[in-house]
Amino acid sequence: MCAALAGVGWYYAGEILNVEVPSEPEYDTRVVAVGDGRVTLQDTADTRSPGTVGLDAPDAYAQAGKILAADDDGVTRRLNVLDGELKQGDLVDVDGYAFPQDPDAAFEFPVTEVRVPAPLGEQPAWLADAPGRRWAVLVHGRAARRNECFRMVPILHQLDVTSLCISYRNDRGGPVDPDRIYRQGATEWEDVEAGVRYALDHGANDVVLVGYSMGGQITANFLRRSDLAAEVSGVIWDGPALDWGPAIAAGADDRGVPGWLVPIGMQGSEWRAGIDYDDLNQVTHADAFKHPILLFHGDADASVPVSVADRFAAARPDLVTYVRVRGAGHVRAWNANPSRYRRAVRRFIAGLD
């Protein structure tokens, strides 16, 4: 019996640590009608998502904004086409990225791909130059594409902040961990350090860190461990996985994994990856942080429970500006209310001067 439990725990530990690739678009939602700055979509839970969502078609990309009507004919929303032409009858993938993967299609300002020297090899990154000497290093979440950061880039560009959207070990197109597993931020922070060093070497006076989901955990470890943390002026986190226990438990519940297996799998993943979840619990280490933090978290987040952000914000009210977003899912704070999100970022960045 003990051997069987150990085997199951070891297998589940692998599920916790195994590298996940970003999901491919699922073109499963029909465009019912298009015209006059509006789009009517097949009625689904995704097309009724509040705020702004992306519509990814094979030959087009658009943003669907405010819901104007919803009835038996479908869900009608405001439409902003970013690339190509969206047509009646098209099948689209409704996503939270809200911007296409190609930065030339996403933005009216130039974005180039650069290579960032890092401990395991060169890593690809998107660079959006701006006139100011402040840079932002943006870090996407687990199993997310680099363009997860694109919702933030136009806000920063308007503030004359240069954006560097980095990748990290195990990302597509870059170096991999020697064991081809995640180490839950315990080593990935070194790749953020490489991004910060690149910014400083290319003219940055100071750096703002932006982390989504696991990117929040990774940047938190950078702040606690790197000598270059002294070059950071502020931090923005969106749905950050600051405590792995609740996040892993939420993922287990979503997949039907019994709750009793979670601590066994976590212990097994500690052994396999050489990590310590107590050390990676940023809430219990909240007193180690020194930088101003703008923290976004949706109260409908099913991946990283909002209670994690609640606890961190309560632990450091002197540092944290907390924006708790009603009805927003995982890293969907921008989507729920883009205008409110932009205002919060602008105020925060202005306060760093």
Side-chain angles (χ1 to χ4, degrees):
M1 183 66 172
C2 290
L5 282 176
V8 171
W10 194 253
Y11 173 80
Y12 183 49
E15 293 294 297
I16 292 172
L17 299 173
N18 286 343
V19 173
E20 300 176 66
V21 298
S23 60
E24 295 298 322
E26 295 181 4
Y27 302 115
D28 56 3
T29 301
R30 187 168 299 279
V31 176
V32 178
V34 182
D36 298 324
R38 302 181 177 198
V39 61
T40 300
L41 301 161
Q42 175 186 341
D43 187 4
T44 69
D46 286 337
T47 59
R48 287 178 176 264
S49 296
T52 299
V53 295
L55 304 179
D56 187 357
D59 298 311
Y61 195 97
Q63 294 173 341
K66 180 181 178 181
I67 296 176
L68 303 173
D71 53 33
D72 292 342
D73 295 325
V75 179
T76 301
R77 309 179 67 136
R78 296 198 187 280
L79 178 67
N80 177 30
V81 178
L82 298 178
D83 185 39
E85 180 184 359
L86 198 65
K87 302 181 294 296
Q88 181 180 3
D90 281 350
L91 290 175
V92 300
D93 179 66
V94 181
D95 67 36
Y97 292 107
F99 287 89
Q101 296 185 55
D102 180 0
D104 290 337
F107 307 121
E108 295 180 351
F109 48 85
V111 177
T112 57
E113 187 166 66
V114 298
R115 307 292 294 189
V116 175
L120 297 184
E122 288 191 337
Q123 299 172 157
W126 292 120
L127 176 64
D129 272 317
R133 298 294 299 277
R134 172 170 286 153
W135 283 46
V137 174
L138 301 94
V139 188
H140 67 80
R142 175 174 175 148
R145 301 194 295 259
R146 242 187 302 156
N147 66 309
E148 183 168 54
C149 306
F150 282 4
R151 287 165 289 183
M152 181 70 76
V153 170
I155 307 172
L156 297 173
H157 193 75
Q158 289 180 348
L159 297 172
D160 292 337
V161 177
T162 291
S163 294
L164 184 69
C165 300
I166 68 167
S167 54
Y168 49 88
R169 59 197 66 189
N170 295 316
D171 278 354
R172 188 177 293 167
V176 299
D177 177 271
D179 295 320
R180 298 181 180 272
I181 58 174
Y182 291 123
R183 298 190 194 271
Q184 309 293 64
T187 57
E188 290 87 351
W189 70 266
E190 297 170 357
D191 302 328
V192 175
E193 184 177 65
V196 172
R197 183 176 291 110
Y198 182 95
L200 296 171
D201 288 346
H202 288 78
N205 277 351
D206 69 273
V207 173
V208 174
L209 290 182
V210 182
Y212 297 84
S213 190
M214 180 171 160
Q217 171 70 224
I218 295 171
T219 54
N221 287 310
F222 165 85
L223 291 168
R224 289 174 51 202
R225 291 167 168 79
S226 175
D227 291 339
L228 294 185
E231 307 297 335
V232 172
S233 58
V235 181
I236 302 175
W237 284 333
D238 193 329
L242 299 177
D243 180 3
W244 281 114
I248 292 172
D253 183 65
D254 181 62
R255 297 164 61 185
V257 175
W260 58 263
L261 186 53
V262 171
I264 298 173
M266 289 183 67
Q267 186 172 51
S269 65
E270 287 184 317
W271 293 338
R272 289 186 66 171
I275 60 177
D276 179 355
Y277 284 116
D278 289 337
D279 185 53
L280 297 177
N281 184 341
Q282 310 300 338
V283 179
T284 59
H285 292 283
D287 59 353
F289 293 90
K290 303 173 183 177
H291 301 82
I293 298 168
L294 175 59
L295 172 57
F296 294 99
H297 212 116
D299 68 3
D301 192 329
S303 298
V304 179
V306 70
S307 58
V308 175
D310 291 343
R311 290 188 288 123
F312 189 88
R316 292 306 305 266
D318 57 320
L319 292 183
V320 176
T321 300
Y322 187 23
V323 183
R324 198 179 198 268
V325 184
R326 181 177 305 219
H330 189 49
V331 294
R332 292 288 187 102
W334 180 94
N335 304 75
N337 193 327
S339 296
R340 182 189 183 194
Y341 196 99
R342 284 193 294 269
R343 288 194 299 271
V345 172
R346 288 170 179 161
R347 283 195 300 268
F348 180 74
I349 296 294
L352 300 179
D353 294 328

